DNA sequence: ATGAAAGCGCTAACAG
DNA sequence: CTGTTAGCGCTTTCAT
């Protein structure tokens, strides 16, 4: 049975293995790194001892001299299925590689930099992040220290890679679709952020494209903003619906759009009264009970692609930056029916 | 502007700070650890230099001597909202503490131990995990090395804490509710696992309670199992519904229940034909389009509680184990209507 | 092919 | 109150 707890057992070190196997630490090190210069017999002996002692190298000690074999991923919000899809894509791409992924959840509001710093303090071999609210100057400096790929940033960085979808196209697809369905009074619900970075964030670009598409058709934009929370999206959506002035809402992303559907239902309305279109195509959007028209940006694929780019830097040694853009696609579902007569 | 990329800048070390400030490393160390024995002037000078050089201690070097100020969390599946709720609760509890949380996503099937090991290799100061598929002997050994709290394990461990909800009660609440609603032919859709551990996993216990509750009322159990995936749950749910032999399904958790709702809708049926009850009360369950009757086990609260238990060990030095049980509550919603006449 | 030794950046005794 | 010193467990030249 287990020993009395509290007496923390010390785990074996490389020295213990070396001693037990009657070889040098260097030999053990070579064996675990699959490095050259070890005879089959030695390898065998060492591996046997490692198994016997259940030895596992400590990452920290390893990091002091070499790599951590760790990829850090910063994710602003665990509750948004789009992000978890990206993680899933990344995770599956990493399978079979010696790299392990750790996720650092965001701290909300403008604290994205803190999370990136803490990942860097851990000396991950590379990182993937989704941090719209960090200045590109700051990121450029971080990118010089550590391989990095940023998702959803439209800046042409030189020290790190970016991976986005064509947000302008996606928003245009969404809005054009509503117009083609016959909608004239289309609102946009988006996430507010600071004036400074806003125009280059995904939401800022979608917003711009929404405005442009409407104006090109001579229609009037109606913009409402909310914070990045279910409650805020619900409230803003409800207000928009209750105004009775619109027949459709293009929402900044699916997670928020689903809150708008909630508000709609709470007002005893359906998407036949007010059409709703989202962005991301999270798995839930295809659920028949939700059936949300949306724009797919292929989250899983983006996650996998991000890992590819990162490994090109880490393993392949690439140092020039790449900027990949994924082409989004419209997913037509039941939430974007043709407009009913205006409520008032 | 940024330097040419590729020329990775070396980040300053404690030595650099000491040199620049004209003091010893020890002094710098004391300042960043807020340790005793530093004069205000020295503290001031060092802090100024730290800010100037933008110095941040490297976690790895720190770990070699002391703590990592990191809490590792193992989560089997990022896509399940219940788990992300637990994370959110944990994360909010950690705010303001010097500890940072990192999440290691599960690798699927029986590879839970691997993730725990890799967290331990990183020498996190403590860890929280949801690993039903790991033997308790193995966990006891790990618990002797590192403070640990396990969620959803019903074993009375001695080297680690456990935190569960009363799964037997929860399942009984769910099944009794269906019986009271008038259902007689109630199926159970659950997640299969190895014979060995199954009876002590949350799903095993819910299954047992389901059987017992039905039999106590003289009703016949109908059990279907699936794997931990949307597709598998969908298929199993669809088959159960198509059989036409049941009027209600108690599903092992909400994520799977939502797939059953999907199958139901795809068969052009509603919960008026086949009632559905889940487990967990994820945020989506309360969405009016879903309105899933379920059993709440207060995920956010559990996450926060897990951190509390862990900090008692890490900071407070507690070494005896605690085993907390949360009392679940039924959440009645529209998905558990009274039964319609049998289909065949 | 193998091992000895230096050192990564920090913390913790211990001296002064 | 401050600085010196000895490691923590690895990787990596560099001899042998």
């Amino acid at each position: 049975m287990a020993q009395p707890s509290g007496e923390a057992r010390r785990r074996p070190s490389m020295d213990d293995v070396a001693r037990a196997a009657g070889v040098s630490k260097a030999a053990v090190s070579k064996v675990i790194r699959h490095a050259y210069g070890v005879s089959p017999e030695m390898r065998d002996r060492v591996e046997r001892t490692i198994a016997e002692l259940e030895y596992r190298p400590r990452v920290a000690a390893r990091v002091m001299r070499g790599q951590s074999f760790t990829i850090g991923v910063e994710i602003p919000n665990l509750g948004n299925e789009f992000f978890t899809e990206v993680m899933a894509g990344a995770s599956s791409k990493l399978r079979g590689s010696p790299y392990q992924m750790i996720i650092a959840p965001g701290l909300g509001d403008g604290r994205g930099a803190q999370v990136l710093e803490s990942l860097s303090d851990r000396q991950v071999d590379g990182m993937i992040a989704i941090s719209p609210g960090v200045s590109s100057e700051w990121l450029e400096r971080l990118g010089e220290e550590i391989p990095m790929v940023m998702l959803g940033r439209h800046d042409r960085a030189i020290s790190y890679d970016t991976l986005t979808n064509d947000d302008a196209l996606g928003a245009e697809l969404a809005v054009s679709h509503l117009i083609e369905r016959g909608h004239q009074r289309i609102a946009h619900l988006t996430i507010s952020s600071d004036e400074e970075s806003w125009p280059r964030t995904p939401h800022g670009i979608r917003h711009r494209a929404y405005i442009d598409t409407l104006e090109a058709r001579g229609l009037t934009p109606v913009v409402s903003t909310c914070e990045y929370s279910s409650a805020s999206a619900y409230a803003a959506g409800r207000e928009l619906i209750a105004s009775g002035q619109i027949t459709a809402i293009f929402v900044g992303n699916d997670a928020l759009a689903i809150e708008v559907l909630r508000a709609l239902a709470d007002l005893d309305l359906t998407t036949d009264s007010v059409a709703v279109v989202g962005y991301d195509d999270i798995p839930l959007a295809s659920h028949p009970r939700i059936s949300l028209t949306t724009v797919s940006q292929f989250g899983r694929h983006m996650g996998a692609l991000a890992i590819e780019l990162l490994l090109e830097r880490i393993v392949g040694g690439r140092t020039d930056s790449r900027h990949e853009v994924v082409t989004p696609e419209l997913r037509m579902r039941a939430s974007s029916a043709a407009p009913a007569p205006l409520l008032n």
Side-chain angles (χ1 to χ4, degrees), chain A:
Chain A
M1 195 46 201
Q3 302 175 7
S5 81
E7 308 301 322
R9 302 183 315 156
R10 194 181 68 83
R11 55 189 281 174
S13 73
M14 182 176 278
D15 224 17
D16 296 329
V17 176
R19 218 186 329 268
V23 301
S24 72
K25 287 192 299 176
V28 179
S29 176
K30 279 177 186 154
V31 168
I32 64 174
R33 284 177 300 123
H34 303 102
Y36 292 114
V38 259
S39 64
E41 307 81 56
M42 160 132 301
R43 146 148 298 132
D44 208 60
R45 198 138 68 95
V46 170
E47 276 172 347
R48 202 186 312 288
T49 313
I50 285 176
E52 204 170 299
L53 267 50
E54 294 182 308
Y55 166 74
R56 322 192 81 237
R58 261 154 276 201
V59 174
R62 201 156 222 207
V63 165
M64 300 286 297
R65 295 308 251 136
Q67 319 173 53
S68 63
F69 290 102
T70 305
I71 306 286
V73 183
E74 182 260 6
I75 179 178
N77 181 341
L78 279 171
N80 187 333
E81 245 194 317
F82 173 66
F83 298 139
T84 58
E85 281 287 294
V86 173
M87 304 288 107
S91 176
S92 74
K93 191 80 190 181
L94 234 32
R95 200 147 306 167
S97 85
Y99 292 91
Q100 225 245 316
M101 183 171 122
I102 64 172
I103 300 169
L107 272 27
D109 36 315
R111 323 245 307 268
Q114 270 182 51
V115 178
L116 297 188
E117 278 181 334
S118 92
L119 242 21
S120 143
D121 296 343
R122 282 187 171 67
Q123 286 162 282
V124 293
D125 291 339
M127 59 202 225
I128 294 174
I130 311 180
S131 298
V134 178
S135 85
S136 53
E137 293 73 35
W138 190 87
L139 280 180
E140 288 285 8
R141 302 213 305 136
L142 192 58
E144 284 159 31
E145 287 179 3
I146 173 178
M148 207 162 75
V149 12
M150 299 292 307
L151 267 59
R153 289 193 68 105
H154 291 262
D155 33 21
R156 292 199 68 79
I158 67 170
S159 76
Y160 56 90
D161 299 331
T162 63
L163 176 53
T164 62
N165 87 112
D166 187 338
D167 286 295
L169 171 60
E172 195 200 317
L173 288 174
V175 176
S176 298
H177 165 67
L178 285 168
I179 294 173
E180 274 154 32
R181 279 277 210 258
H183 292 273
Q184 306 258 30
R185 320 191 83 183
I186 303 167
H188 181 42
L189 175 55
T190 185
I191 297 172
S192 59
S193 70
D194 61 303
E195 296 281 334
E196 173 67 13
S197 50
W198 169 250
R200 262 156 304 125
T201 66
H203 288 285
I205 291 174
R206 290 170 202 171
H207 170 259
R208 181 75 259 159
Y210 157 81
I211 301 274
D212 292 347
T213 307
L214 279 197
E215 291 184 340
R217 312 280 191 116
L219 299 175
T220 314
V222 179
V223 176
S224 173
T225 62
C226 65
E227 283 164 31
Y228 206 134
S229 81
S230 302
S232 175
Y234 177 87
R238 187 162 178 140
E239 194 173 328
L240 227 32
I241 296 161
S243 77
Q245 297 301 308
I246 53 156
T247 67
I249 310 179
F250 167 44
V251 189
N253 72 36
D254 286 354
L256 303 180
I258 284 176
E259 291 305 309
V260 174
L261 291 182
R262 190 192 286 261
L264 207 51
D266 286 351
L267 290 166
D268 284 318
L269 295 173
T270 68
T271 48
D272 290 338
S273 302
V274 178
V276 176
V277 175
Y279 207 106
D280 287 349
D281 195 26
I282 61 177
L284 184 59
S286 71
H287 194 289
R289 296 271 194 118
I290 301 292
S291 194
L292 178 68
T293 294
T294 186
V295 178
S296 175
Q297 55 171 322
F298 307 93
R300 280 185 116 87
H301 176 241
M302 284 188 96
L305 197 47
I307 291 292
E308 260 177 50
L309 289 172
L310 197 56
L311 291 182
E312 276 180 23
R313 284 184 177 269
I314 300 175
V315 181
R318 174 167 59 78
T319 57
D320 57 316
S321 63
R322 284 184 54 185
H323 304 284
E324 299 292 322
V325 180
V326 170
T327 303
E329 283 177 17
L330 184 70
R331 295 276 177 267
M332 275 180 263
R333 301 211 177 91
S335 71
S336 57
L342 274 183
L343 294 179
N344 339 355

